[in-house]
Amino acid sequence: MNVTNSVGTIVNNSSSKAANSFSGKSVMGKDDFLKLMISQLKNQDPLNPMDGTQFAAQLAQFSSLEQLHNLNDLVKQSIDANYLLIQSVNNTMTASLIGKHAKIQGNTVNYDSQKSISFEYSLPDAAKSVEINIYDEGGNLVKTLHPKNIFQGEHKLSWDLTDNKGEKVPKGKYKMEVKAIGLDGKEMDTTVY
């Protein structure tokens, strides 16, 4: 009896069983490899045993498979440990932000039942005039503000969510546009937070 034919017969006979027990698997695991090797040893011809070099090669393959599997587990553990470390550092850093304010650069605000909306703008230099226009989602001018603080630096402003007629605006998204004219008469670049 030829060992190669025996293994082929075992694999063919057990392929339907393997398909049922290993459904969804496209790669053999270390347990599958060990079962196949044991089946091969059980079904070999005792009068014509398998060549020792082939058996040693299969043991080496199994050992390599085992080491790769262990290495894969260690890499997964390392990734998980790094994730937990990063999460811990982020949590520690977040705690240091308590009591501090954060500014987000952008010119849109969302009105959803607040009493007022505060925003900031920054002027790179002193201005001759500053005009803040607020537009609704349709691009219609809703409110125009003329702040008195027109010097260089950051300025806070609060909008009471009324339009130019003094009526409350409907809930939705609004866009702020700051137009600043410098002392030289040219329009300045501004930043809205």
Side-chain angles (χ1 to χ4, degrees):
M1 181 175 179
N2 188 349
V3 173
T4 307
N5 290 341
S6 298
V7 171
T9 305
I10 293 168
V11 170
N12 289 335
N13 289 340
S14 62
S15 64
S16 60
K17 293 178 188 175
N20 292 335
S21 63
F22 304 121
S23 62
K25 280 189 172 181
S26 62
V27 178
M28 288 178 54
K30 66 178 183 176
D31 293 335
D32 303 327
F33 186 82
L34 186 59
K35 286 178 187 176
L36 182 63
M37 192 172 76
I38 290 172
S39 295
Q40 182 179 357
L41 287 173
K42 282 182 184 177
N43 292 305
Q44 73 175 317
D45 183 5
L47 298 175
N48 186 14
M50 187 169 59
D51 185 14
T53 55
Q54 286 181 354
F55 185 69
Q58 287 181 356
L59 283 177
Q61 286 177 341
F62 180 71
S63 176
S64 296
L65 177 68
E66 179 71 23
Q67 293 301 320
L68 287 174
H69 183 73
N70 291 341
L71 183 62
N72 187 30
D73 287 344
L74 289 173
V75 168
K76 284 181 184 178
Q77 289 174 2
S78 176
I79 289 171
D80 290 343
N82 285 342
Y83 175 74
L84 290 174
L85 179 63
I86 289 170
Q87 202 171 26
S88 175
V89 168
N90 285 343
N91 290 343
T92 303
M93 290 176 67
T94 303
S96 69
L97 296 176
I98 294 174
K100 296 185 179 177
H101 297 280
K103 286 194 268 185
I104 301 171
Q105 187 174 345
N107 63 348
T108 57
V109 293
N110 191 21
Y111 169 42
D112 186 26
S113 71
Q114 304 97 304
K115 292 183 181 180
S116 66
I117 292 179
S118 297
F119 62 96
E120 293 183 28
Y121 62 96
S122 177
L123 299 175
D125 207 355
K128 184 186 231 180
S129 66
V130 175
E131 179 180 277
I132 299 170
N133 293 317
I134 302 171
Y135 300 93
D136 64 10
E137 289 179 279
N140 302 312
L141 180 64
V142 175
K143 180 89 170 188
T144 301
L145 303 169
H146 297 281
K148 297 188 186 335
N149 295 333
I150 55 175
F151 52 88
Q152 177 184 5
E154 294 181 358
H155 306 279
K156 286 187 178 184
L157 197 62
S158 182
W159 175 39
D160 61 359
L161 300 162
T162 59
D163 61 15
N164 284 330
K165 298 175 188 173
E167 299 175 7
K168 277 285 192 193
V169 295
K171 294 179 182 178
K173 290 185 180 180
Y174 293 89
K175 181 180 176 183
M176 313 289 185
E177 180 183 75
V178 178
K179 289 185 180 180
I181 306 298
L183 298 175
D184 59 358
K186 294 181 181 177
E187 191 169 334
M188 299 183 347
D189 290 330
T190 59
T191 305
V192 181
Y193 301 98

